[in-house]
Amino acid sequence: MVVLDATIVNIALPSAQRDLDISNADRQWVITAYTLAFGGLLLLGGRVADRVGRKRTFVIGLIGFAAASGLGGAAASSGMLFGARALQGVFAALLAPSALSLLTTSFIDPKERARAFGVYGAIAGGGAAIGLIMGGVLTEFLSWRWCLYVNVPIAAIAVLGALLLLHDRPGHRDSRLDVPGVVLGCGGLVAIVYGFNEAEPRGWGDPLVLGLLLGGVALLAVFVWWQGRAPHPLLPLHVIRERNRAGCFLTMALVTIGLFGTFLFLTYYLQTVLGYSPLKAGLAFLPMTAAIIIGSTQVSARLMQHVPPRTLMVPGLIVAAAGLTILTQLTVHAEYATHVLPAELLLGLGMGTTFMPVMATATQGVAPRDAGVTSATVNTSQQVGGSIGTALLNTIATSSATAYVASRLTPAEARDPAAVARLTNVGVVHGYTVAIWWAVGIMLLAAVIAGTMVTGRPQRQPTPAGQPLGETAT
């Protein structure tokens, strides 16, 4: 629910824009308001879960997310929709880390833990693709508003399940909230996420974009300095100093940089170049979702107890890079069955094989009092990586398309609207392929980082809380 809401409104956005009379300049806030609040407040959400209890935070997050979704679905104006999306992001920042930390502390047996993380990895990896599918189905047959209303019944079922089935230790109320850490850490993340989102419409050289990015980096640098001195740090530095966790955080960020940008390009390629309807474009992502589920539950979940995590991560990332490489061969006349489908299957299988060991390894051996903030750091890597990827790759695609058209448009063709339209279409696809080549390089860089930094062994028995991953019993 949390991951799919980052993409489910993409296909529904044109309909919402028409209904609420949202300007082209403001339409990005339907997406940005959510990602900004979500990415910026995740660390705070993780520490709140550790302090007041993960189950309680989980239930509060579900109820709040459902209420915000209902408010957004009933929006009568653009401001109301933007506010509801921001409120969704706030409760998502409570919901995501509490869900993952509940999983971490609930499943201790290695076999059950592998199965649980396999399912979780499949859902987390496939959530963005599922959002595109659901967005197409709901928009075509019901209304764009149901892209938000759909969260209400899902949350109701989850709340009932949480109250009946989940068990949790009490929160650590003796620890105080690190207010300076909240201001510095959340402020820095909000500035960076906002800066990357604004880079798309404004350009990388815009003073506001540069100010946000440099200011965000400066705030995070001060945040790290303060966390080494704070009596009750928001993010204890030992969480990110451990080699395996640091490698997993970096791998997750790089993977989502390439993945989210590719989802955006495929969505536009299917609808604007191949002429797919919203429903057909959404269903076109179904094979990728199925491949992610297979990679996570049938490959990684079965092998995690027997092989080191990087033995799954590195091949998974290489397979995903191979899928992206196929997409670099797209043309305006490419066929779905010969170009898009094989790429989706390889990309999905690689991502499914990668996500599960990344999440399991990043949260393995964490002391219970730090489970929430560690889970929040995993989600922060994913969210910030997705924001960076969407802005970075979209900027590369746009500038490459513009340069391509400018270098090939003759004065005679410039006077022929049909010729301009044809060349522009070719240029757009060229821009996509150039950006996807960058995604291939980023995915291979993630494979190098996973192969060199993640040195943990297979977990064949419960890891004592706080024990370094490299010393897990084999």
Side-chain angles (χ1 to χ4, degrees):
M1 187 172 67
V2 166
V3 177
L4 72 84
D5 258 70
T7 59
I8 193 171
V9 298
N10 283 14
I11 292 179
L13 188 53
S15 299
Q17 186 178 358
R18 287 192 301 269
D19 280 2
L20 301 180
D21 196 25
I22 303 173
S23 68
N24 288 335
D26 289 339
R27 66 183 177 186
Q28 64 159 329
W29 282 103
V30 177
I31 298 170
T32 303
Y34 179 77
T35 58
L36 193 61
F38 186 20
L41 298 176
L42 269 166
L43 284 178
L44 176 60
R47 186 48 83 194
V48 168
D50 289 332
R51 190 167 188 267
V52 307
R54 286 169 282 275
K55 177 178 176 179
R56 181 180 298 175
T57 306
F58 181 69
V59 172
I60 292 172
L62 281 169
I63 294 172
F65 197 93
S69 299
L71 183 66
S77 65
S78 59
M80 187 175 175
L81 179 59
F82 299 157
R85 289 287 286 169
L87 200 57
Q88 276 186 308
V90 171
F91 286 105
L94 291 176
L95 190 53
S98 59
L100 183 54
S101 58
L102 276 167
L103 203 70
T104 301
T105 56
S106 297
F107 294 94
I108 305 300
D109 177 76
K111 188 175 181 179
E112 289 186 351
R113 180 181 172 87
R115 186 181 298 115
F117 271 91
V119 173
Y120 187 89
I123 293 171
I130 293 171
L132 294 170
I133 296 169
M134 290 183 65
V137 172
L138 294 172
T139 301
E140 185 140 332
F141 290 109
L142 293 173
S143 162
W144 66 267
R145 297 181 183 275
W146 277 96
C147 293
L148 295 164
Y149 285 145
V150 70
N151 293 312
V152 177
I154 296 174
I157 295 170
V159 167
L160 182 62
L163 295 176
L164 294 176
L165 302 174
L166 290 182
H167 303 283
D168 187 27
R169 300 174 183 178
H172 299 278
R173 294 183 177 276
D174 55 321
S175 62
R176 296 183 178 179
L177 199 61
D178 176 20
V179 176
V182 170
V183 174
L184 292 168
C186 295
L189 287 173
V190 166
I192 288 175
V193 173
Y194 186 27
F196 274 105
N197 275 287
E198 286 297 301
E200 180 183 344
R202 293 175 178 269
W204 293 99
D206 184 83
L208 175 63
V209 173
L210 291 175
L212 286 168
L213 294 178
L214 293 176
V217 170
L219 285 173
L220 290 183
V222 177
F223 169 76
V224 172
W225 171 83
W226 169 250
Q227 293 307 283
R229 292 157 179 78
H232 302 282
L234 181 67
L235 175 61
L237 293 184
H238 65 81
V239 170
I240 56 176
R241 280 179 181 152
E242 204 282 321
R243 176 174 180 161
N244 289 275
R245 290 192 193 99
C248 288
F249 296 151
L250 285 173
T251 300
M252 177 62 80
L254 289 171
V255 165
T256 51
I257 285 176
L259 192 60
F260 275 60
T262 302
F263 278 158
L264 180 67
F265 299 146
L266 270 181
T267 300
Y268 277 95
Y269 178 78
L270 291 172
Q271 292 190 72
T272 62
V273 178
L274 298 187
Y276 283 19
S277 68
L279 174 61
K280 190 175 180 181
L283 293 177
F285 284 93
L286 194 58
M288 183 190 295
T289 305
I292 289 174
I293 293 172
I294 291 171
S296 188
T297 61
Q298 302 304 312
V299 179
S300 287
R302 293 178 181 273
L303 296 178
M304 192 175 75
Q305 299 175 69
H306 308 290
V307 299
R310 64 179 174 183
T311 309
L312 295 169
M313 295 180 196
V314 175
L317 291 165
I318 292 174
V319 169
L324 290 173
T325 302
I326 294 175
L327 291 178
T328 63
Q329 307 306 307
L330 290 176
T331 67
V332 292
H333 303 297
E335 296 287 337
Y336 174 81
T338 56
H339 288 77
V340 179
L341 179 60
E344 284 188 351
L345 292 175
L346 289 175
L347 185 58
L349 186 63
M351 288 297 91
T353 305
T354 302
F355 274 126
M356 184 265 192
V358 166
M359 292 179 178
T361 304
T363 56
Q364 180 182 327
V366 179
R369 68 184 301 119
D370 293 327
V373 73
T374 304
S375 302
T377 308
V378 178
N379 282 286
T380 300
S381 301
Q382 185 180 38
Q383 191 62 34
V384 173
S387 297
I388 292 172
T390 301
L392 175 64
L393 296 183
N394 193 60
T395 302
I396 292 172
T398 303
S399 59
S400 298
T402 302
Y404 181 90
V405 173
S407 66
R408 287 165 173 78
L409 188 65
T410 65
E413 288 176 325
R415 293 190 292 270
D416 182 0
V420 172
R422 283 195 300 271
L423 187 58
T424 300
N425 214 23
V426 174
V428 166
V429 176
H430 171 76
Y432 292 164
T433 59
V434 170
I436 293 172
W437 271 121
W438 278 79
V440 171
I442 293 169
M443 203 69 74
L444 292 176
L445 176 60
V448 171
I449 289 176
T452 55
M453 292 187 67
V454 183
T455 58
R457 303 172 185 175
Q459 187 182 3
R460 296 178 184 168
Q461 67 183 49
T463 305
Q467 178 177 315
L469 301 185
E471 300 176 9
T472 301
T474 59

